[in-house]
């Protein structure tokens, strides 16, 4: 059996950094191969196509991101959990130099504009799956908060509302480029759902 020509996880990390910064259309396998120090043909042999490499890299990202969200939503009051959720989300959007935005929203916009060369139904499903799983984590947090008497509404509706706001924040981050503005919107959203915090 031939030894692997490269570190699979390292290539996925490097590939995703490029996809995140430049989008799928703006990223080439040649650029990824160069930055990863591997042959372009090795990437084709291992993944088959740019889209397949993107999907593998995105799944790696999604797993880590969802684990971070789950941790943020696992302790404290419901208000503290939601605040931690938004903190993780905004930090993710604003990471990188310059900030890279939200990879899920960017990918969805590439698909919607018809500019997502290499993106198809598999990519759309991967994006939708991450949003659905994040919404599920929020619904669990609201359900637990309801049991503790911190929330009286519908966990499903509230979770969907928060998930929708995060998509809006992803777009507004591109417009404002301002953490403070995004955090202000997040705080107002929490107040709308839970009521104003006691002074």
């Amino acid at each position: 059996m031939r030894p692997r020509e490269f570190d699979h996880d390292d290539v996925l990390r490097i590939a995703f950094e490029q996809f995140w910064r430049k989008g799928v259309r703006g990223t080439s396998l040649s650029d990824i191969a160069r930055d990863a120090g591997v042959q372009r043909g090795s990437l084709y042999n291992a993944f088959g196509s740019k889209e397949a490499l993107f999907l593998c890299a995105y799944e790696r990202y999604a797993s880590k991101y969802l684990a971070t969200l789950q941790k943020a939503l696992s302790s404290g009051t419901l208000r503290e959990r939601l605040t931690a959720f938004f903190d993780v989300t905004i930090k993710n959007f604003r990471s990188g130099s310059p900030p890279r935005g939200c990879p899920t929203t960017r990918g969805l916009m590439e698909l919607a504009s018809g500019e997502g060369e290499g993106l198809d139904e598999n990519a759309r499903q991967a994006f939708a799956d991450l949003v659905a799983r994040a919404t599920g984590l929020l619904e669990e947090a609201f359900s637990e908060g309801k049991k503790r008497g911190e929330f009286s509404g519908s966990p499903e509706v509230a979770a969907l509302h928060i998930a929708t706001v995060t998509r809006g924040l992803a777009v507004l981050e591109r417009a404002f480029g301002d953490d403070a503005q995004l955090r202000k919107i997040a705080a107002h959203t929490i107040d709308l759902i839970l009521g104003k915090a006691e002074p």
Side-chain angles (χ1 to χ4, degrees), residues 54-122:
F54 170 76
L55 288 172
C56 287
Y58 183 80
E59 181 51 42
R60 177 185 177 275
Y61 158 81
S63 292
K64 291 186 175 189
Y65 182 56
L66 287 164
T68 305
L69 290 182
Q70 186 168 31
K71 184 176 179 185
L73 288 166
S74 66
S75 63
T77 65
L78 181 55
R79 184 177 298 275
E80 289 167 344
R81 292 177 192 214
L82 294 176
T83 300
F85 171 87
F86 276 118
D87 284 346
V88 166
T89 301
I90 292 167
K91 184 178 178 184
N92 188 50
F93 296 164
R94 301 287 297 151
S95 67
S97 185
R100 296 168 294 195
C102 172
T104 303
T105 301
R106 179 180 198 138
L108 286 166
M109 296 302 286
E110 281 192 53
L111 272 172
S113 68
E115 294 178 0
E117 175 193 321
L119 290 181
D120 63 9
E121 178 60 20
N122 292 325

Side-chain angles (χ1 to χ4, degrees), residues 70 73 81 133 135-145 155 159:
Q70 186 168 31
L73 288 166
R81 292 177 192 214
R133 289 165 70 189
T135 305
L137 292 174
L138 284 162
E139 190 173 340
E140 286 175 22
F142 276 111
S143 294
E144 289 176 20

Side-chain angles (χ1 to χ4, degrees), residues 6-173:
F6 54 79
D7 182 302
H8 194 79
D9 198 58
D10 198 43
V11 166
L12 291 178
R13 179 186 58 76
I14 290 166
F16 195 70
E17 283 292 322
Q18 293 221 14
F19 289 131
W20 196 348
R21 278 198 323 271
K22 301 187 287 188
V24 175
R25 187 174 189 179
T27 301
S28 73
L29 282 179
S30 295
D31 291 341
I32 294 168
R34 181 197 64 231
D35 288 0
V38 301
Q39 296 296 315
R40 187 168 178 265
S42 297
L43 296 180
Y44 272 116
N45 290 338
F47 300 100
S49 68
K50 182 167 75 168
E51 187 205 20
L53 172 55
F54 170 76
L55 288 172
C56 287
Y58 183 80
E59 181 51 42
R60 177 185 177 275
Y61 158 81
S63 292
K64 291 186 175 189
Y65 182 56
L66 287 164
T68 305
L69 290 182
Q70 186 168 31
K71 184 176 179 185
L73 288 166
S74 66
S75 63
T77 65
L78 181 55
R79 184 177 298 275
E80 289 167 344
R81 292 177 192 214
L82 294 176
T83 300
F85 171 87
F86 276 118
D87 284 346
V88 166
T89 301
I90 292 167
K91 184 178 178 184
N92 188 50
F93 296 164
R94 301 287 297 151
S95 67
S97 185
R100 296 168 294 195
C102 172
T104 303
T105 301
R106 179 180 198 138
L108 286 166
M109 296 302 286
E110 281 192 53
L111 272 172
S113 68
E115 294 178 0
E117 175 193 321
L119 290 181
D120 63 9
E121 178 60 20
N122 292 325
R124 188 203 64 76
Q125 188 56 55
F127 300 143
D129 183 60
L130 184 144
V131 174
R133 289 165 70 189
T135 305
L137 292 174
L138 284 162
E139 190 173 340
E140 286 175 22
F142 276 111
S143 294
E144 289 176 20
K146 190 167 186 172
K147 288 176 190 169
R148 293 192 303 266
E150 300 173 274
F151 174 69
S152 60
S154 162
E156 183 181 4
V157 171
L160 189 57
H161 181 76
I162 295 280
T164 303
V165 169
T166 63
R167 294 306 95 207
L169 284 177
V171 175
L172 291 175
E173 186 277 329

